[in-house]
Amino acid sequence: YDNTIFIYTSDHGDSLYHHSLYEKHCMFEMAAKVPLIIRYPKALPQGKRSSALVSLLDVPPTLLALTGQTVPEMWNGISLLEAFNGKNSPDRIVFSEFYEAHNGSYQLFPHAKNLPMRMARYQNYKYVYTHGFIEQLYDLKNDPDELNNLALTEPQANRAPLDKLRLATLNDWKVDERPLFEVKTKRRGARVEFAWQPLAEVGEYILYRSATADPLQATEVGRTTANQLTDTAATAGTSYYW
């Protein structure tokens, strides 16, 4: 009993008519949040509670860390040992994804909409991107019932977290209805020119630049409704991610 790692958790929650919904099919807390209890007296303190943002992807790395194994670098999850010790990163973002929200799953859009969605939790914020539908941003500290969608009611006042979480959520997320498109670049000293074939379904293009592959380190270069944009602030001879 004392040498066994016990983990109690579950699949997704159930809305139980919260927001007039049932089952999952959404990213509200009732459906997205699940229990996670880990017991291992040999290495973990008893009765310790943590409010850190964690994911079920963290369970396998935690098991490896508790048993003295090496966690593969390609794994997306992290060991929760630091969270148990109160050293969790306040800047961490965790994701939840519901891809197969289509084929008439929503009676509101039968046989009409493919609505894959992805959610990002960061500090007090929750951002939800639903392909082909409105985006959502909630401040769970001041709005725990998720009734005020800041992306609709106060988008300018919440521009910074909205842009940050949108970029982090869409980064490297492949959706069939959102195909990648080719962008041609041309460097002229410190100027980098970008051009692409316009997409009929796109209303605005946003260009970001980062010195690292981390999307949270990126800064916005500019926005346009045309099919070209120039970065005039890039340092000549420096490698970037755009």
Side-chain angles (χ1 to χ4, degrees):
Y1 185 75
D2 290 333
N3 292 319
T4 301
I5 301 172
F6 292 91
I7 298 180
Y8 174 81
T9 186
S10 76
D11 191 4
H12 63 84
D14 198 303
S15 297
L16 295 176
Y17 292 97
H18 187 259
H19 283 267
S20 299
L21 300 170
Y22 68 96
E23 296 184 351
K24 48 179 181 180
H25 304 150
C26 68
M27 291 297 177
F28 290 122
E29 288 292 272
M30 290 292 290
K33 199 172 183 178
V34 299
L36 180 60
I37 302 173
I38 302 179
R39 183 188 187 277
Y40 189 39
K42 183 178 179 180
L44 301 178
Q46 296 187 27
K48 180 77 172 182
R49 296 175 63 94
S50 173
S51 59
L53 291 175
V54 301
S55 166
L56 291 181
L57 291 176
D58 299 332
V59 171
T62 302
L63 289 173
L64 291 184
L66 288 174
T67 54
Q69 308 300 310
T70 300
V71 179
E73 292 184 0
M74 72 285 294
W75 285 14
N76 290 324
I78 64 173
S79 167
L80 296 179
L81 294 186
E82 290 191 356
F84 293 139
N85 296 321
K87 299 180 181 179
N88 51 288
S89 172
D91 293 324
R92 189 186 185 198
I93 297 180
V94 296
F95 299 94
S96 184
E97 181 176 322
F98 181 40
Y99 189 80
E100 296 182 353
H102 59 83
N103 295 333
S105 298
Y106 289 87
Q107 293 304 309
L108 185 61
F109 306 109
H111 312 297
K113 283 280 188 178
N114 185 359
L115 301 175
M117 64 181 70
R118 201 181 197 202
M119 177 266 282
R121 281 282 281 112
Y122 170 70
Q123 297 181 352
N124 297 325
Y125 289 102
K126 172 188 285 187
Y127 172 80
V128 182
Y129 172 86
T130 307
H131 190 62
F133 203 52
I134 62 172
E135 58 184 354
Q136 302 169 69
L137 179 68
Y138 300 102
D139 180 347
L140 296 183
K141 180 179 180 180
N142 298 308
D143 180 27
D145 292 326
E146 302 170 275
L147 299 175
N148 182 24
N149 181 3
L150 299 174
L152 291 180
T153 60
E154 303 175 41
Q156 293 305 315
N158 295 276
R159 175 75 176 272
L162 191 60
D163 285 350
K164 175 194 288 283
L165 293 178
R166 181 192 298 117
L167 179 60
T169 301
L170 295 180
N171 182 58
D172 288 334
W173 192 45
K174 306 300 188 298
V175 178
D176 294 341
E177 289 75 18
R178 186 174 61 86
L180 299 178
F181 59 97
E182 182 179 356
V183 178
K184 297 182 179 180
T185 62
K186 182 180 296 185
R187 182 182 287 272
R188 301 179 185 273
R191 295 166 55 90
V192 182
E193 300 173 354
F194 298 84
W196 55 87
Q197 289 294 325
L199 300 177
E201 66 273 22
V202 176
E204 183 180 46
Y205 302 89
I206 307 175
L207 178 65
Y208 294 88
R209 179 194 341 105
S210 176
T212 73
D214 183 359
L216 296 185
Q217 304 301 316
T219 57
E220 183 178 319
V221 173
R223 301 180 178 218
T224 182
T225 57
N227 65 328
Q228 56 187 4
L229 201 152
T230 299
D231 185 351
T232 60
T235 302
T238 302
S239 297
Y240 294 105
Y241 293 83
W242 279 280

